[in-house]
Amino acid sequence: MSVVMLPPRDRARLEGVHRDLVRVVERARQVVPFIVTEGLRTRARQAELVALGASRTMNSRHLTGHAVDLAYWLDDGDGAVEQGEVRWDWPLYEQIGAAMKRAAKELTVPIVWGGDWASFRDGPHFELDRTAYP
Ligand SMILES: [Zn+2]
């Protein structure tokens, strides 16, 4: 199996994100196609998201580089990242969730998936466990 390298755009979006979380993302990307939509977030951007109702907390793990958002990427088949589309269908996020959890387990990096939250399920969101990574 060839190794899938994250494209430059995704690399740029992972700048400032904790190295262990980046390793989990890189490993999961080998089995499920996704793009990185957001990593480190400024307080101004977080406040904006809270105001929009897209986030409920100013205590977000994105502010400290402990969280990433991923989106399923349906490739058109030629492997070029420019061609394809983001998909928001829930079952696809179950796939990303499973791949991220497996990768995290293999690397012994405890993570939390927003898709497992009882209220305000957040399928694209993954963060390092607060106990292991305060
Ligand atoms: Zn998030």
Side-chain angles (χ1 to χ4, degrees), residues 38 41 60 62 67-69 122 124-126:
E38 201 162 10
R41 203 179 271 168
S60 168
H62 282 287
V68 291
D69 293 335
D122 190 352
H125 181 93
F126 296 87

Side-chain angles (χ1 to χ4, degrees), residues 55-107:
S55 178
R56 291 191 175 177
T57 178
M58 275 310 290
N59 194 24
S60 168
R61 299 285 271 164
H62 282 287
L63 294 169
T64 53
H66 288 84
V68 291
D69 293 335
L70 309 175
Y72 194 92
W73 185 253
L74 186 65
D75 201 293
D76 70 346
D78 73 352
V81 290
E82 295 78 17
Q83 283 147 14
E85 58 173 323
V86 164
R87 300 292 308 187
W88 297 108
D89 318 53
W90 185 260
L92 302 175
Y93 287 81
E94 298 277 7
Q95 283 185 35
I96 299 177
M100 283 290 285
K101 286 179 188 178
R102 194 179 320 120
K105 196 174 178 188
E106 286 162 359
L107 295 169

Side-chain angles (χ1 to χ4, degrees), residues 5 16 19 21 35-36 51 70-71 108:
M5 299 295 286
R19 178 69 199 143
L21 187 53
I35 59 167
V36 178
L70 309 175
T108 59

